[in-house]
Amino acid sequence: MKVKTKSKKVNKAWLNDHVNDPWVKLAAKEGYRARAAYKLREIDETLRLIRPGHLVVDLGSTPGAWSQYVRRRLAPDGAAVGKLDGTIIALDLLPMEPIEGVTFIQGDFREAEVLARLEAAVAGRKADVVVSDMAPNLSGVESVDAARIAHLVELAADFAVQHLKPGGALVVKLFHGSGYAQLVQLFRDTFHTVKPFKPKASRDKSSETFLVGIGLKTPPAA
C-alpha cells in the first residue's frame, strides 16, 4: 500500500505542476497542442533554421505541436490556417489530428511502404530541415533506456543523411546520461556545425536536451 500511496502522491504532484506550468497555459492560450512547441520555437528563433519556402519533415510528430509551430513559421502572416509557403510532412507511429497544410503519414519510416509514401510526398525534393521529437517509452533501467534513446537518435541521423539537403539541419531530442557523449560524437561526425540546446520550456529537473546539426559533411550521392 505504501508504494501505491507514494505513486498517487507523485502523480498528483506531477499533475499539479503540469496544470500550473506557464508553458502549458501559454500553449492552451495560443492554440498549441503541447508545450513542446516552445522548445522548437526557441531553437529556431536562436539559430534561424526554418524559413518560408522550406520543406520540413517532422519525425515523431504526434500530437502535432512541432508541426503546428512549423506551419505558423511558414505562413506569410504566422497564421495557424490559410496560406502556406512551404511543405510540411509529419510522420508518427501513432495517429495525429489533422493540421491544415500538413501532410501526415502514419507508420514506421523504416518500412518500405511508409518510406515509399514519404518519397511520394516529397516529390523528389530534399528536406531543408528535419526535426525529431521522438522518445522511447522509458523503463527506468538506465542501460536499457540509454540504448533505446540512442537508437532513435541514430535513426533520425540516418534519415537526415538520406533526405536532407547538403546545407540542411537536423534537430533531435535526447537525454543527458549514459551514451550522451557518443551521440554528440555521431553528430560531429555527420554535421559541420553541432549545437547542444536546452530550451527554457524544458523542465529544469528534466535531463531532456536537444542537439542541432547543420550542414552534412558527406552528402549522399545524387
Side-chain angles (χ1 to χ4, degrees), residues 166-177:
L170 170 65
V171 180
V172 301
K173 176 165 71 179
L174 69 168
F175 298 87
H176 279 288

Side-chain angles (χ1 to χ4, degrees), residues 32 39 136 149 201:
Y32 284 115
K39 302 172 188 178
I149 292 164

